[in-house]
Amino acid sequence: EVQLVESGGGLVQPGGSLRLSCAASGFTFSTYAMSWVRQAPGKGLEWVSSINAGGSSTTYVDSVKGRFTLSRDNAKNTLYLQMNNLKPEDTAEYYCAARQSTILSRLLNDYAYWGQGTQVTVSS
């Protein structure tokens, strides 16, 4: 059974940092591209960042470039999102998603497996 379990969310002040983790099991993690997707209150899903299966290539939505860093540890079957200089507009439920391909994609429909999410709230 494929499982993606996010952790690391919480309440942080503007300018603060959080590191999200996504623990994967039930599939060969090292052969799947991965993404983080978020959903702000009352809004739709927004793609945030993607990484290819080997970890050599990443891409980000413009609003987080220079602040967020996506990485993965294939030996630990874990995906990470380091979020620095957080802003109130980053407040959202954050989901990790897995794509059955080594190639990253920004298209949400390309991702077959999704976690349950972790809440990030940026507020003073």
Side-chain angles (χ1 to χ4, degrees):
E1 177 189 5
V2 172
Q3 282 196 321
L4 297 170
V5 180
E6 301 93 337
S7 62
L11 173 63
V12 63
Q13 292 185 342
S17 298
L18 285 174
R19 188 175 82 154
L20 305 185
S21 298
C22 172
S25 61
F27 64 103
T28 306
F29 181 72
S30 62
T31 65
Y32 281 60
M34 300 292 295
S35 283
W36 286 96
V37 178
R38 66 187 179 185
Q39 186 168 27
K43 296 189 176 181
L45 292 171
E46 177 189 30
W47 169 80
V48 175
S49 182
S50 298
I51 189 167
N52 66 343
S56 62
S57 180
T58 55
T59 185
Y60 302 89
V61 67
D62 285 348
S63 61
V64 309
K65 283 181 181 176
R67 300 188 298 121
F68 289 12
T69 302
L70 179 59
S71 62
R72 64 191 296 160
D73 186 337
N74 284 345
K76 294 182 178 180
N77 291 348
T78 304
L79 179 74
Y80 303 101
L81 185 67
Q82 178 66 44
M83 306 187 295
N84 297 329
N85 190 21
L86 282 160
K87 302 177 180 181
E89 52 263 42
D90 295 318
T91 294
E93 188 83 8
Y94 283 71
Y95 301 91
C96 67
R99 181 187 189 208
Q100 198 170 355
S101 168
T102 59
I103 302 170
L104 61 82
S105 171
R106 299 184 175 206
L107 301 178
L108 302 185
N109 286 344
D110 283 346
Y111 291 83
Y113 303 114
W114 293 72
Q116 294 300 306
T118 186
Q119 177 68 36
V120 172
T121 302
V122 185
S123 175
S124 55

